[in-house]
Amino acid sequence: MYARFLATTLLVAASAPSAIFAATPDTSPIKEVRLSSGGLAEVLRAAVVNQDGVVRLEVPLEQVDDILKTLVLNNDSAVIADLSLVGPQPLSETFKGLPVTAESLASVPALLNAIQGAMVTVTSQGKTVQGQVLGVEPRTAADGAEAYLLSVLSGAVTIATLELAPDAMVTVDDERIRDKLVQAASAIARAKNDRSRAIQIKVKGNGAQRVDLSYVVAAPIWKTAYKVVAGEDGKARLQAWAVLENASGEDWRNVKIILSSAEPVTLSQRLHQWYWRDRMDLPVNTAANAVPEADTGNLTKRAQAQRAASYAAAARMQAPRPAPVAVAAEAAPDRILTQHYGGGAIDRDSQSTATESDVSATFELPGTYDVANGDTLSIPILDAEIPASMVSLYRAGGQERHPVAALMLTNDTGVSLPAGILTIYDARSGYAGDAQLAGLPGADTRLASFAIDRKVTVTEDRKPVDEITEVKVVDGMLRLTQKARYVTDYTVAGAMDAPRTVIIEHPVRSGWTFSSPASDGKTATHHRLKVTVDKGASQTVQAVEEQLRRDTIAIADTEPEALLAWSASSTDRVLSAKLVELSEARQKQMAAQRALDQWEDARERLVSEQARIRENLRAVPASSDLSSRYLTQLEATENELRALAGKRETLEGELHQLEGKVRGILRTF
């Protein structure tokens, strides 16, 4: 209805100057991008310093926080004095100082109500009024349509009214209000495309015209895809390809790319944001579900390799230093590259230069690259021949009775390999399967499991065995040392067509010692057993876990059977004989105690019977036959009680004598 006024306002606002948002050509091209496995990109730009000593950098809004955190100047003769940019909420901040709101600019009636008191000239339906705005009153016309009636106070102290029709034209005569309306319309126009920020960087120095700026921002994690072709001579052809994306918000042109396998601690903070004290916001857990665990390496083999490396280093100290060699290995023999598996050889001139640091490997790609914003690039970073052998890997405790086929890889490339997905080819039969490869440091080994080996079956038989290793008695307390043992027999039924090397992973139990004649080191979570099974044959290997347990028991309260068992386990003949003697004495003592307890039970039974008979006597006539019968029963129970009374002293005497004998034996320990 009131589009004419709004269009005019926006046109005026668009023609107004704006120093902060004025478009300028890009004068800071990207020279280099260093991508890390931590999901960050270190961006290096060649920036031009203008005559005012300012570098202007236009960046996406989502990168502002990271740039405020990490921006540095790579120049020895210049420093950054300060930097400035528009705040995080420019629209709301702009309207805080204006007499109107963004909503009031949506229609002429709302705007006129918002600038009450301002001088205006309004024309509608051929009629014009001029004066100070008093207000706009909504009304319903005769046909039911909505209408608005404007009231103004003219210079002659006259109130004039005007119905606002769709052709209404408003001129704001108050210059101060008019400027504020232009400012408000400009703010709305900017907010519609509020996706970037122009950062003004003030540089101080000796008049440098060009400087290098670098900063770290979030970036898609670069991935590694490996292809390995397994041969038959203990070697395999390994190719590594890096897959990366340009999500910087601009095209890369002639950009140097460096890849790092480092996984630094990465923190982010909304520096380009206002903060007030508030309650803690409990985040929702969006972590992915656990995936099958990748091999973390043989720790025992690693320790052996470290010792061997130490010996080799000592030998090199006394020998002439050899000439340096390239990190990239020579091309694998053509006999391994049968058919097309592995993607063929990689041009040596296109391979990356790999360097090793304390915590990561860095791959500097040759030349420069053009990558459009949003595009993906896949680049070869390694092509080498490495030691590899096929094995079958069985992990104890699972539901699957068949092991998995795995390729044991040894990294002798001289540089650590980042984690990634591994595609395995067999030189004879082609695609074999996929595996998850954890980070593989130089000179270390990994098992890459890729398929179920159903030609081999492994069964488990686990038996607990306990034995007493030491028995001592000190101050009436028996100190018992027992050895708990678990013996697990693994029976491997080999394949019918070829021999197999089987690696069995047995869980590590904290506090238990482990031994096996087939032991082949351990990982962080499992012991490894290695067995070679001929075709069509079966073989059993044993794993033994042991744990010593020490108990302290009051010997005086110990059961005779336990004393006999301990005496049989003791290597001290004198102690063993004393335990047997104590066991026999304790048996007699306990028998005497049972006899006395039986006497007490019998007496209580007779006393209870007497009470019952006396109660019955009171309930029947004194001269009746029933009364005579009760009297006879009462006399019989009385005789039994007299007989029992004579045995009590004898039983108590025997028990006292046996208890003394037990105490005497205990004093001899």
Side-chain angles (χ1 to χ4, degrees):
M1 177 178 179
Y2 304 101
R4 181 181 302 177
F5 172 78
L6 294 180
T8 303
T9 303
L10 292 176
L11 182 61
V12 172
S15 64
S18 176
I20 295 179
F21 287 91
T24 60
D26 182 14
T27 57
S28 303
I30 295 177
K31 293 173 55 178
E32 179 181 291
V33 175
R34 183 183 295 264
L35 298 172
S36 80
S37 298
L40 297 176
E42 183 177 356
V43 179
L44 179 66
R45 288 181 178 272
V48 176
V49 183
N50 66 19
Q51 60 183 4
D52 297 324
V54 174
V55 172
R56 181 183 181 278
L57 192 63
E58 186 92 16
V59 297
L61 183 60
E62 63 269 14
Q63 293 183 1
V64 169
D65 291 326
D66 284 330
I67 292 176
L68 291 174
K69 177 172 75 86
T70 63
L71 181 68
V72 294
L73 183 75
N74 301 330
N75 191 293
D76 294 335
S77 60
V79 296
I80 295 178
D82 59 62
L83 57 88
S84 60
L85 69 158
V86 173
Q89 301 173 6
L91 184 62
S92 60
E93 288 305 301
T94 299
F95 275 94
K96 279 185 179 180
L98 298 179
V100 295
T101 64
E103 292 75 15
S104 65
L105 293 179
S107 68
V108 171
L111 174 63
L112 291 171
N113 266 331
I115 59 173
Q116 284 179 310
M119 291 295 298
V120 297
T121 300
V122 182
T123 300
S124 179
Q125 302 183 61
K127 180 181 177 182
T128 300
V129 296
Q130 185 177 23
Q132 290 179 285
V133 177
L134 296 179
V136 177
E137 179 184 1
R139 289 189 174 186
T140 303
D143 58 358
E146 188 179 48
Y148 293 91
L149 187 65
L150 169 66
S151 299
V152 299
L153 180 65
S154 67
V157 196
T158 302
I159 297 176
T161 61
L162 176 66
E163 183 176 343
L164 298 174
D167 64 346
M169 179 69 71
V170 179
T171 301
V172 179
D173 300 325
D174 189 322
E175 183 178 355
R176 183 180 63 86
I177 297 297
R178 185 169 63 247
D179 292 343
K180 289 184 178 294
L181 289 177
V182 172
Q183 183 181 355
S186 298
I188 292 177
R190 292 195 302 268
K192 292 298 183 181
N193 191 29
D194 190 23
R195 299 176 183 175
S196 65
R197 284 291 183 272
I199 302 178
Q200 309 290 335
I201 305 169
K202 187 65 176 294
V203 177
K204 287 186 177 181
N206 58 358
Q209 298 299 309
R210 288 188 175 273
V211 294
D212 285 346
L213 293 172
S214 67
Y215 52 86
V216 179
V217 294
I221 298 172
W222 70 277
K223 289 81 64 179
T224 310
Y226 294 95
K227 305 177 183 70
V228 60
V229 182
E232 298 179 353
D233 55 354
K235 295 289 185 179
R237 176 74 172 277
L238 177 69
Q239 290 183 356
W241 290 70
V243 180
L244 57 96
E245 291 81 25
N246 174 11
S248 63
E250 60 184 287
D251 295 342
W252 294 348
R253 300 189 184 281
N254 297 323
V255 172
K256 182 71 175 177
I257 298 177
I258 300 175
L259 306 176
S260 171
S261 64
E263 296 188 24
V265 175
T266 59
L267 303 175
S268 64
Q269 190 174 63
R270 295 182 180 178
L271 298 175
H272 190 237
Q273 185 69 35
W274 298 339
Y275 290 94
W276 290 267
R277 286 287 180 186
D278 203 351
R279 295 176 301 161
M280 180 181 292
D281 187 12
L282 187 64
V284 177
N285 184 6
T286 58
N289 293 330
V291 297
E293 187 177 320
D295 179 32
T296 57
N298 192 326
L299 302 182
T300 304
K301 297 292 186 183
R302 185 177 304 173
Q304 294 171 354
Q306 290 172 346
R307 287 194 294 270
S310 299
Y311 298 148
R316 286 196 299 270
M317 292 292 292
Q318 303 181 14
R321 179 169 297 182
V325 296
V327 171
E330 290 299 323
D334 291 338
R335 55 188 170 81
I336 293 183
L337 290 175
T338 56
Q339 300 180 18
H340 60 278
Y341 304 116
I346 295 174
D347 181 8
R348 291 291 150 189
D349 294 334
S350 68
Q351 283 204 62
S352 62
T353 301
T355 57
E356 186 80 9
S357 65
D358 289 342
V359 296
S360 66
T362 300
F363 302 90
E364 183 175 343
L365 305 182
T368 59
Y369 296 85
D370 294 340
V371 185
N373 182 48
D375 281 3
T376 297
L377 179 67
S378 182
I379 316 167
I381 58 176
L382 182 71
D383 187 3
E385 185 183 68
I386 62 173
S389 58
M390 284 288 187
V391 298
S392 294
L393 176 65
Y394 175 79
R395 177 163 288 187
Q399 299 296 322
E400 182 63 60
R401 297 294 91 192
H402 302 287
V404 294
L407 192 62
M408 181 171 285
L409 304 172
T410 300
N411 180 10
D412 65 351
T413 63
V415 63
S416 297
L417 301 179
I421 189 170
L422 180 70
T423 301
I424 298 172
Y425 295 88
D426 184 270
R428 295 174 301 174
S429 57
Y431 173 75
D434 295 329
Q436 180 185 4
L437 181 67
L440 180 53
D444 208 346
T445 62
R446 288 291 184 273
L447 281 172
S449 304
F450 59 89
I452 301 295
D453 186 358
R454 299 198 178 276
K455 295 182 179 181
V456 179
T457 303
V458 181
T459 56
E460 305 175 28
D461 183 18
R462 192 165 185 260
K463 298 170 294 212
V465 180
D466 292 337
E467 63 178 86
I468 298 172
T469 60
E470 186 180 44
V471 180
K472 289 184 179 180
V473 178
V474 180
D475 298 330
M477 303 300 291
L478 186 140
R479 296 179 180 176
L480 185 66
T481 302
Q482 300 183 77
K483 180 185 289 184
R485 301 178 76 237
Y486 278 97
V487 179
T488 305
D489 291 329
Y490 294 100
T491 301
V492 182
M496 299 300 295
D497 56 351
R500 284 287 195 276
T501 298
V502 180
I503 302 293
I504 298 172
E505 291 195 338
H506 184 93
V508 172
R509 298 177 66 188
S510 178
W512 292 72
T513 60
F514 178 85
S515 63
S516 173
S519 182
D520 190 53
K522 63 181 293 189
T523 69
T525 56
H526 288 77
H527 301 283
R528 279 184 175 169
L529 313 179
K530 186 176 182 180
V531 57
T532 300
V533 184
D534 293 333
K535 66 176 182 178
S538 294
Q539 191 167 335
T540 299
V541 294
Q542 191 173 85
V544 179
E545 298 167 292
E546 296 180 338
Q547 185 184 60
L548 291 179
R549 299 174 181 171
R550 293 179 172 84
D551 297 316
T552 301
I553 305 169
I555 193 171
D557 302 327
T558 306
E559 295 292 329
E561 293 79 6
L563 292 171
L564 284 176
W566 296 338
S567 69
S569 302
S570 176
T571 57
D572 187 337
R573 292 187 177 183
V574 175
L575 177 60
S576 179
K578 288 182 178 181
L579 288 173
V580 172
E581 182 183 9
L582 179 59
S583 174
E584 294 173 351
R586 282 281 291 150
Q587 285 180 340
K588 294 177 181 179
Q589 176 196 6
M590 294 174 66
Q593 183 65 55
R594 284 194 299 271
L596 183 59
D597 292 342
Q598 290 172 357
W599 181 91
E600 289 288 352
D601 292 341
R603 182 180 178 281
E604 289 182 6
R605 179 180 56 79
L606 291 172
V607 170
S608 176
E609 181 66 12
Q610 278 188 337
R612 185 186 68 81
I613 294 172
R614 289 191 178 97
E615 186 68 26
N616 289 340
L617 278 172
R618 286 193 291 269
V620 300
S623 58
S624 63
D625 292 340
L626 190 56
S627 175
S628 299
R629 188 186 308 164
Y630 285 149
L631 288 172
T632 302
Q633 293 176 355
L634 186 61
E635 182 180 5
T637 56
E638 190 66 29
N639 292 336
E640 290 184 42
L641 283 173
R642 279 197 297 270
L644 285 176
K647 293 181 179 180
R648 180 183 180 88
E649 292 183 2
T650 302
L651 293 173
E652 288 180 342
E654 291 178 356
L655 179 59
H656 182 71
Q657 180 183 2
L658 291 170
E659 287 176 343
K661 185 175 181 180
V662 169
R663 287 193 296 271
I665 296 173
L666 289 174
R667 283 193 293 270
T668 65
F669 278 93

